[in-house]
Each structure stands twice: as C-alpha cells, then as structure tokens.
Amino acid sequence: MKMQIGETYHGFKLQESRPVKEINATAHTFRHDKSGARLLFLECGDDNKVFSVSFRTPPPDNTGVPHILEHSVLCGSRKFPLKEPFVELIKGSLNTYLNAMTFSDKTMYPVASQNDKDFHNLMDVYLDAVFFPNIYKYPEILRQEGWHYELDDPAGELTYKGVVYNEMKGVFSSPEAVLERKAQEILFPDTPYGLESGGDPDHIPALTQEQFEAFHRKYYHPANSYLYLYGDLRIEEHLQFINEEYLSHFDAIPVESSIPEQPPFTAPKAVTVEYPISSTERAGDKTFLSLNYVVGRGTDVELCLAFSILKHMLLGTPAAPLKKALIDAGIGKDVSGSFNDGILQPTFNVVARNANAEQAKKFQEVVETTLRQLVAQGIDKRLVEASINSREFQLREANYGTRPKGLGYNIECLDSWLYDAPPTAHLEYDAALDSIKNALTQPYFEKLIEKYLLQNKHSALFVVKPARGLAEARAREIRQELAEYKARLTEQEIAAIVA
Ligand SMILES: [Zn+2]
C-alpha cells in the first residue's frame, strides 16, 4: 500500500518516506502520537524479517544496571509468566536470530524470522518483556540475574553469586577488557561512556532493587524507545498490533536520556593500569600498549567512513605502514587498530600486544614519526585506492557475519538515530564515499591524520601491564569484606541466606 506523509496509521504518524538506494529499500519514519515512541520501517524485498525494540540507556554508575535489566526482563512478563520464556522461545521458534544486547548507551532486543506467525509471536514476547516484565513482582529476579549472597551452610563462607556478576568477573580478567574499560573511563570522565554499562564486579553488589526498578521505570518507556521493522512485511498489521497491544496503554512523558558530549582535553593523557595474571605466570612480553584518540562525532557520516578506511590503510594488512613500522621496531608481536563509531564520540586506537612496559615511549615515537612521515611525503595512492575499494566492497556486500542483514542495518541506523540525527544517515553512504574518493588526487587522508591524530589533544597513551597475584589479592579483599558483613548478621538473617 502507498502511505501518505502526515497521515496517521494506527496511532503512528508517518513523518518521512525516502528511498535508500544504497540498500535498495525505502525508509519510513513514524512517531506514535500517544506514547511518543519512534518507529522506523525499512521496506524491502528481504524475507528474513527483523523486528527490534531499543532504548537509550546511559548507565548512571558502574553497577551494570542496564546489563542486569537486559537479562532480567527476559525472565517472565505479564502475558508470558513462565520463568525462562527466552530459553523456551529458542527451543520452539523458527527464528533466524534472537538476542538481547547491552551497549554503552543503548539496550537492544532484536528478533528475525522468515515465518510470519513466528515473527509475530517473537515480537509479542519481546514487547511484553520490555514493557511489562515481572521484575517488580519478583525481587528474586534481580538476585538471580544480578547478584546475591550465597551461603551453603550457616558456618560456611559467604560469597557473591549472580549471572551478570559471574559473567563480568570473567570479562574483567582479560587484558583487552581492562584496556577497553580504562580507555573509556579516561577519555570520557564526565559522560556515561566513562561508566561500565555491563557492570564492574566490584560495583555490581551496590545495586539495590529500588535503583533497579527506577532504571526500568525511567528508561523502558515508549517515549524513550526506538522500534524497528525490516523486510518484506505487511506494515499496517504490525502497526495495528503494536498500537493496540502495547503503545496505546502509555502516554508520552519527557525522558531525559540524551548523551552529553565530553569536552576535549587541553593535553593528552598517559595512564598505566594493571591486569591480573596468576602468581606462577611469567610477566614478560605480556604488556599492551595503546594510543587512543577521540575522533569527531558519530553522526558525521563522511568522517566515520573515512576513518574506517584510514584504519585499514594504516593497520589493516602486514604491509600497512603503521603496522609495519611498529613490527619492524620490535614493539609487540601483534599490532592492530580499531575505529569504534557506535557511540556519540567515536574513538580510534592503535594497539601493540605482547609488548613490554619499557617500550611505551618508543611505541608512541614510532606511531607519531610514521604518521608525520606519511603526512609529509603523502600516502602511496595505490594504498589509498586499495583501502577505499576494500571498504566499498564491504559496504555493497553488507555482510554482517552471524547477524541478519536487517539487524546490521538496524545497528547502523541507531548509530545516528540515537543521537537525534536522521536514522538512515549511515546507510546513505554514496555521497560520503564520492567525497572520500577525492583522496585519489588530493591529500585527503593526510589532512585527517594531521587533524585527528597528530594534533588531537583528546587522546591518551595506555600501558596495560600484567600484575602477578592481582586477582588473588582482590579475591582476599572480597572474602574479608564478606566475612565482616557476615559477622554483623543475626542468626535469623544467616538462616534466610542459606534458605
Ligand atoms: Zn550478559
């Protein structure tokens, strides 16, 4: 059917319809008047349909409340009270994808299926889970999914347990995770990106049921939601269902969830952190060295695309100039780079793994000297062309690995939509790509290197080095803390934990 701009369909007002020729689709943007919900429909011929509901969920602290809530809403809801609807769903469903993800500023619940009936059921289960979860009725959900005290017998040792608590303890034992966490904390000290949305095990036990409920009440409201439909589907039926079953029961309220910008630094920082290795492991060649830069805005389509190409150019192949220079200088056994643009203020980094802490200064020197040479002499145009071609091929192919295409597009949409920019900005990449192709005749990437890397003060050098016995020492502290807590409990309180 042909929809008219400005018309309302089952409570959803159509705000815009525009072709997105890069992906052979039409994007329809709606606003649900009564509840304030946003909805994007990417209409195309793909029969692997995708639905998702996402919320902007900046973490207020390091307790991991966004992550714990993501687990918890899938533990039963108003219409689907069974304890493990998610597990049951996977067993009985024909879905091609079913998951929930916590990002640093959003939480996403996507489903995909080629079967109409199945698609509808999954949508129903997910909407009921996020808007009417059983978390208020059963406080044991937070204890099970987040954290709780565990005690096998009254005389035994008290410990912390919980699905997310255990999961994050595992995550934080890896140097990669320690580096990533520290980099965000240092580069974004005044914004939610400085906090751990997944939960820092040292802070998870500070989360209370009241804070947990308050987080759901505030952020899991339709007015703070981003609904997404993709593929070859009958849109009106879905709009009607979502309106009648869910959104019509809510009234729009203002939800303050916008992500503030971190003001740039006046000088780069240098930070050393430790990660745990066992007391018997040797510490040589186990240090990670990393230079991290905050690069513009995630809504700047051309800059983000250019930086993903620059990353490949500098570090993507063994012959890439920055990678080669570091390896030749004997700094680290493995050198790579990444560009993370799934946030408001993207970051670019260069990492040397299996290096040594004494090499930190040399590492920075080699990176900066190499970049300066590239700017002065100009980057080999064959390398520029190969890197642009490789990225263009990836874009046209739209291969998102294990994720369905429609979900890959969805995540790209949120990369601008979540920051109040047009949802299809990153999908409409042709104009940006054309502009970047000026690099074949002009010093395009050289200028980016100069401005965003060499002259960039919003950056930091990280030395992440192994510390023997760190994990054991931390475990002793926690044991001590728990023993002191237990000593203050009455017999009845102890009995309640054992039960
Ligand atoms: Zn998890």
Side-chain angles (χ1 to χ4, degrees), residues 67 70-71 164 167:
H67 183 193
E70 174 229 301
H71 279 243
V164 170
E167 182 188 327

Side-chain angles (χ1 to χ4, degrees), residues 450-487:
E450 184 67 39
K451 176 172 178 188
Y452 292 101
L453 302 181
L454 290 170
Q455 303 294 337
N456 190 349
K457 295 196 171 66
H458 199 171
S459 60
L461 168 69
F462 294 92
V463 178
V464 184
K465 59 181 193 185
R468 247 190 239 128
L470 189 68
E472 290 90 334
R474 183 62 197 134
R476 267 197 307 277
E477 273 171 41
I478 294 171
R479 226 178 292 139
Q480 175 73 18
E481 188 183 298
L482 284 164
E484 283 166 16
Y485 174 77
K486 192 185 168 206

